[in-house]
C-alpha cells in the first residue's frame, strides 16, 4: 500500500547511477540560462534521456556542443531562435521550461508577469503544435500564473490534458527538506516535507505536521538548486512514464482539492502523468489557516494568467 508521506522513491543520485534505460526525448526551453545550463548538464548525465534538445534565443550552439562532449548516450541537439523552436520540440516526451527573466533583489515573482507570460505562452503554443502529448514542466515564474496560461493555450489548440501540465515547485520541497534536516540534525536524503498551495510568498505552504521523519518545527533567484530540483522532478516524471510504481512529487497542477482551480499537492505519477492527486492530507489548525490565507492571492494569480491568455490572439 502506498503511503503519501513517503519521500519520492527516486533520488537524483539514483537516477544518475541507475542502469535502467529509456528512450525519452527531453527538451529544455531556456537551456542557456542560469537554471537551463546546469539542468541540461544533469539531464545529459542521466541514462533515462536518449535525446536532449536544447532551445534558447541565445547561445544554444555553444551549450549543446559543450554538453555533447560528455560521454553519456544522450544525443544533444541545439536550437536557437524562433525559427528553430518547432524542430526542437518535435517528438518530445517531456518539455522543461526554465525560459524567462529571473527575479532581481526586491522583486516579487509577480513582477515577472509581463515578460514571462508572453514567453511561456509562445513556448506553450509551440508545444501544443509539435508535441501535444508531452509532459510539460514549467519552471518559469510566476508559476501561479504561468500554469493557467499554459493550460489555456493548450485548450485553445484542443490538446489540453491536465494530467500532463506541471508547475515545478520541487525547489520548495528540496529547501524544506534541507532546512528541517539542518535544524533537527537529520540526513536530508531521509527527510520529506510535502509543500502545498502555490509557488509565491504566502501561497507556499510547507506541511511540517506531515513531515517524515516527524519534526517540529534571499536575495535574487536560485539557479543551481533549482536545476537540481528541476532534474529531480523530470527524473520522477520519466521514471513513472517507464512504469515505476509509487513515484510521488508535489507540483502545482489543475486541481479539485480546494476552491482554487490550480493547487500544489502530492501527486502519484504514472505512465500518463498524474495518476492520482493525493490531496492535502490531514492538516494542523495552523496549516489550515495558512491554506485559507493563501486562497485570495492564489485565485488572483490564476485569474491574471487566464485573463492574459484570453486576450491573446
Ligand atoms: N519554479 C521555481 O522554483 C523557480 C526557481 C528559480 C527560478 N525560477 C524561474 O526560472 C526562470 C529562469 O531563471 P534563470 O535564473 O535561469 O534566468 P536566466 O536569465 O539566467 O535564463 C533565462 C534564459 O531564458 C532565455 N529566454 C528568454 N526568452 C526566451 C524565449 N522567448 N524562448 C526561449 N528562451 C528564452 C534567456 O536567453 C536565458 O538563457 C525565471 O522565470 C525564474 O523566476 C523558478
Amino acid at each position: 500500500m502506498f503511503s503519501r508521506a513517503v519521500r519520492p522513491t527516486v533520488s537524483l543520485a539514483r537516477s544518475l547511477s541507475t542502469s535502467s534505460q529509456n528512450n525519452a526525448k527531453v527538451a529544455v526551453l531556456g537551456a542557456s540560462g542560469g537554471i537551463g545550463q546546469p539542468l541540461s548538464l544533469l539531464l545529459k548525465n542521466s541514462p533515462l534521456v536518449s535525446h536532449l534538445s536544447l532551445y534558447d534565443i541565445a547561445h544554444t550552439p555553444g551549450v549543446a556542443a559543450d554538453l555533447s562532449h560528455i560521454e553519456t548516450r544522450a544525443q544533444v541537439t541545439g536550437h536557437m531562435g524562433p525559427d528553430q523552436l518547432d524542430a526542437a520540440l518535435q517528438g518530445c516526451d517531456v518539455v522543461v521550461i526554465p525560459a524567462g527573466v529571473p527575479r532581481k533583489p526586491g522583486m516579487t515573482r509577480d513582477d515577472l508577469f509581463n515578460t514571462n507570460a508572453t514567453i511561456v505562452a509562445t513556448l506553450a503554443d509551440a508545444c501544443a503544435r509539435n508535441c501535444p502529448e508531452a509532459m510539460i514542466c514549467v519552471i518559469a515564474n510566476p508559476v501561479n500564473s504561468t500554469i493557467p496560461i499554459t493550460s489555456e493555450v493548450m485548450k485553445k489548440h484542443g490538446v489540453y490534458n491536465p494530467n500532463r501540465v506541471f508547475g515545478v515547485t520541487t525547489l520548495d520541497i528540496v529547501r524544506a527538506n534541507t532546512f528541517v534536516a539542518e535544524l533537527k540534525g537529520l540526513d536530508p536524503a531521509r527527510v520529506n516535507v510535502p509543500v502545498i498551495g502555490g509557488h509565491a510568498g504566502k501561497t507556499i505552504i510547507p506541511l511540517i505536521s506531515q513531515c517524515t521523519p516527524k519534526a517540529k518545527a534571499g536575495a535574487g533567484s536560485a539557479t543551481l538548486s533549482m536545476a537540481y530540483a528541476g532534474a529531480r522532478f523530470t527524473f520522477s516524471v520519466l521514471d513513472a512514464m517507464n512504469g515505476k510504481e509509487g513515484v510521488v512529487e508535489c507540483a502545482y497542477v489543475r486541481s479539485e482539492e480546494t476552491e482554487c482551480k490550480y493547487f500544489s499537492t502530492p501527486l502519484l505519477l504514472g505512465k500518463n502523468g498524474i495518476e492520482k492527486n493525493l490531496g492535502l492530507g490531514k492538516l494542523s489548525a495552523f496549516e489550515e489557516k495558512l491554506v485559507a490565507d493563501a486562497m485570495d492571492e492564489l485565485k488572483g494569480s490564476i485569474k491574471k494568467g487566464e485573463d492574459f491568455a484570453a486576450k491573446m490572439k
Side-chain angles (χ1 to χ4, degrees):
M1 181 69 183
F2 171 77
S3 157
R4 67 187 297 284
V6 168
R7 180 162 191 166
T9 44
V10 179
S11 79
L12 194 62
R14 273 190 61 193
S15 284
L16 294 177
S17 63
T18 181
S19 61
S20 74
Q21 296 287 298
N22 192 7
N23 287 313
K25 178 174 178 181
V26 178
V28 180
L29 311 183
S32 306
I35 295 168
Q37 288 202 37
L39 171 62
S40 301
L41 171 63
L42 292 168
L43 295 173
K44 168 64 177 144
N45 220 12
S46 169
L48 297 170
V49 180
S50 58
H51 182 166
L52 184 59
S53 174
L54 306 180
Y55 174 79
D56 202 299
I57 53 173
H59 307 309
T60 25
V63 175
D66 194 353
L67 288 176
S68 73
H69 295 169
I70 293 171
E71 54 183 354
T72 56
R73 77 179 185 122
Q75 180 205 353
V76 183
T77 52
H79 310 265
M80 190 167 75
D83 292 350
Q84 297 183 14
L85 178 55
D86 288 350
L89 289 169
Q90 274 151 25
C92 276
D93 301 293
V94 177
V95 180
V96 193
I97 307 184
V101 289
R103 280 187 298 156
K104 298 199 171 57
M107 289 173 87
T108 66
R109 292 177 180 86
D110 200 47
D111 292 335
L112 304 172
F113 185 92
N114 288 336
T115 315
N116 288 358
T118 306
I119 293 173
V120 170
T122 306
L123 298 175
D125 180 81
C127 291
R129 288 184 287 101
N130 292 289
C131 52
E133 299 200 344
M135 306 288 174
I136 301 180
C137 310
V138 182
I139 292 172
N141 273 316
V143 167
N144 288 358
S145 300
T146 53
I147 289 303
I149 290 171
T150 304
S151 304
E152 292 301 316
V153 170
M154 304 296 284
K155 275 185 210 167
K156 279 190 188 176
H157 286 272
V159 295
Y160 178 49
N161 181 340
N163 292 328
R164 290 172 180 258
V165 177
F166 304 92
V168 179
T169 60
T170 318
L171 180 58
D172 302 322
I173 291 94
V174 165
R175 281 176 170 160
N177 289 345
T178 306
F179 298 159
V180 167
E182 271 174 16
L183 279 171
K184 305 304 290 179
L186 298 167
D187 173 1
R190 289 188 50 250
V191 177
N192 183 35
V193 184
V195 182
I196 64 167
H199 177 67
K202 68 180 182 186
T203 71
I204 301 172
I205 304 167
L207 299 182
I208 302 295
S209 73
Q210 294 179 21
C211 172
T212 52
K214 282 285 173 212
K216 294 182 183 151
S221 183
T223 54
L224 298 175
S225 54
M226 181 60 237
Y228 166 88
R232 171 180 141 167
F233 186 77
T234 307
F235 293 144
S236 288
V237 168
L238 286 171
D239 267 330
M241 288 170 81
N242 266 355
K244 184 165 181 168
E245 293 189 356
V247 179
V248 177
E249 288 283 357
C250 292
Y252 181 68
V253 298
R254 184 80 174 84
S255 172
E256 310 288 334
E257 300 299 316
T258 69
E259 61 203 68
C260 269
K261 264 195 205 170
Y262 298 86
F263 202 84
S264 177
T265 43
L267 309 166
L268 179 62
L269 301 176
K271 288 190 174 166
N272 297 307
I274 302 171
E275 200 162 293
K276 189 173 180 209
N277 192 322
L278 300 174
L280 285 74
K282 187 171 169 358
L283 304 187
S284 69
F286 176 72
E287 290 162 348
E288 271 175 15
K289 178 153 186 338
L290 293 181
V291 170
D293 289 349
M295 285 296 164
D296 281 353
E297 180 175 329
L298 210 41
K299 283 182 193 165
S301 301
I302 292 165
K303 182 165 186 320
K304 194 167 170 183
E306 289 179 341
D307 289 350
F308 174 88
K311 282 192 209 116
M312 285 171 50
K313 271 185 262 153

